[in-house]
Amino acid sequence: EDDGSGSEYDSDGQKLSKTQRRARKARKRAEARRIKKMEFNLTQKSKDNLRCPVICVLGHVDTGKTKILDKIRRTNVQDGEAGGITQQIGASYFPIDAIQEKTKAVMDLLKVTYNVPGLLIIDTPGHESFTNLRTRGSSLCDLAVLVVDIMHGLEPQTIESIGLLKKRKAPFIIALNKIDRLYGWEPHPELPVQQALEAQAAHVKQEYEQRYGDAVKQLAEQGLNACAFFENRDVRSFLNVVPTSAHSGDGMMDLLFLLTTLPSKML
């Protein structure tokens, strides 16, 4: 190994060949280019000019992770997988104009604008056999979505995923999925989920509050404070919980809205 100087000798006093000297010069040029690019990027750094955040979807098997992405993309990937179970990591890019179109109702309600160019979302397997893929997926993300089945609460791979995210200190939100399974649920995918909840019958609201409360208690047992995103006044102390249904489409616009606005606040 040479010492990086212009000398014809390396650090051990051995004379370098012409090929070795050329390689040393190439390394120095490449290093100079990297430093110049890094300095340029630092001058361009701004909260108004963010890169596309990488988002990882985690959770127990059969909680509806792939189905949520299918609903947003209008695809049918989950039904084509063996046994309906994801067995590999998949990535989807959502451009900002498509997100704006899907979340217009929430944007109009809350009077906000987006400042990210889009979202890159990584889907991971939930089966217990794929711990290594979940670990790899969680190591890539800036922000994560932890999908929880409202009917079952926290399950083994959900708890494992919480451990991975805590270890990485990665911010995440909870998608409390399958609200369409609440008895008597009336779908309103065109409305923000807060308004969809208010439009439900009294017994549906009661069951939702009970199951939502159970999920919040289970998260508290894991050392996590959580509350519904529309009641959350402190996003750094409390996890945002988004009620969703990958089947009916309720809460999808709210989930996309949070994923697009939170990076500028938390990253």
Side-chain angles (χ1 to χ4, degrees), residues 7-229:
S7 168
E8 292 187 2
Y9 296 88
D10 63 16
S11 56
D12 295 326
Q14 300 294 320
K15 189 168 183 178
L16 297 170
S17 68
K18 191 178 289 186
T19 303
Q20 289 172 320
R21 289 199 299 273
R22 275 201 299 268
R24 181 175 62 182
K25 286 179 182 177
R27 282 196 299 271
K28 289 177 75 175
R29 284 196 298 270
E31 186 180 354
R33 283 196 301 271
R34 280 196 300 271
I35 292 170
K36 189 176 179 181
K37 188 175 181 180
M38 186 173 69
E39 288 172 349
F40 174 77
N41 288 339
L42 287 172
T43 61
Q44 300 298 307
K45 194 174 179 181
S46 165
K47 285 189 176 181
D48 299 322
N49 183 26
L50 302 175
R51 69 165 172 80
C52 176
V54 179
I55 295 158
C56 184
V57 184
L58 297 161
H60 193 78
V61 66
D62 200 32
T63 51
K65 298 180 296 300
T66 306
K67 203 73 176 172
I68 284 175
L69 293 180
D70 275 343
K71 193 68 180 179
I72 297 170
R73 293 182 303 226
R74 298 178 186 173
T75 58
N76 200 20
V77 171
Q78 192 254 336
D79 287 347
E81 292 177 318
I85 296 173
T86 301
Q87 300 182 37
Q88 59 191 357
I89 287 178
S92 301
Y93 175 68
F94 296 88
I96 197 64
D97 53 349
I99 294 170
Q100 286 170 337
E101 181 187 337
K102 289 178 183 292
T103 61
K104 190 174 187 305
V106 189
M107 290 177 71
D108 292 344
L109 180 68
L110 299 177
K111 305 279 192 294
V112 296
T113 55
Y114 301 141
N115 57 0
V116 295
L119 300 174
L120 181 64
I121 301 183
I122 297 172
D123 185 22
T124 63
H127 195 278
E128 61 181 336
S129 305
F130 299 105
T131 300
N132 59 329
L133 293 183
R134 283 191 294 279
T135 305
R136 190 171 299 174
S138 65
S139 69
L140 296 170
C141 69
D142 300 311
L143 186 69
V145 179
L146 185 67
V147 183
V148 177
D149 186 336
I150 193 171
M151 308 305 285
H152 297 154
L154 267 60
E155 298 172 278
Q157 270 60 62
T158 317
I159 294 168
E160 179 200 275
S161 298
I162 289 172
L164 291 171
L165 293 168
K166 278 183 173 179
K167 187 177 179 182
R168 282 264 306 143
K169 296 183 179 177
F172 62 100
I173 62 179
I174 308 290
L176 198 58
N177 199 32
K178 301 192 182 182
I179 54 174
D180 60 283
R181 299 278 296 278
L182 300 172
Y183 184 75
W185 178 268
E186 291 291 333
H188 293 285
E190 75 285 354
L191 295 177
V193 74
Q194 185 178 3
Q195 294 177 5
L197 285 167
E198 290 168 358
Q200 302 302 316
H203 72 276
V204 179
K205 291 180 186 176
Q206 185 179 356
E207 185 183 0
Y208 166 76
E209 289 296 339
Q210 179 194 331
R211 294 187 181 277
Y212 163 75
D214 290 343
V216 168
K217 286 175 191 172
Q218 290 176 331
L219 288 165
E221 289 170 2
Q222 300 299 317
L224 299 169
N225 296 319
C227 69
F229 75 97

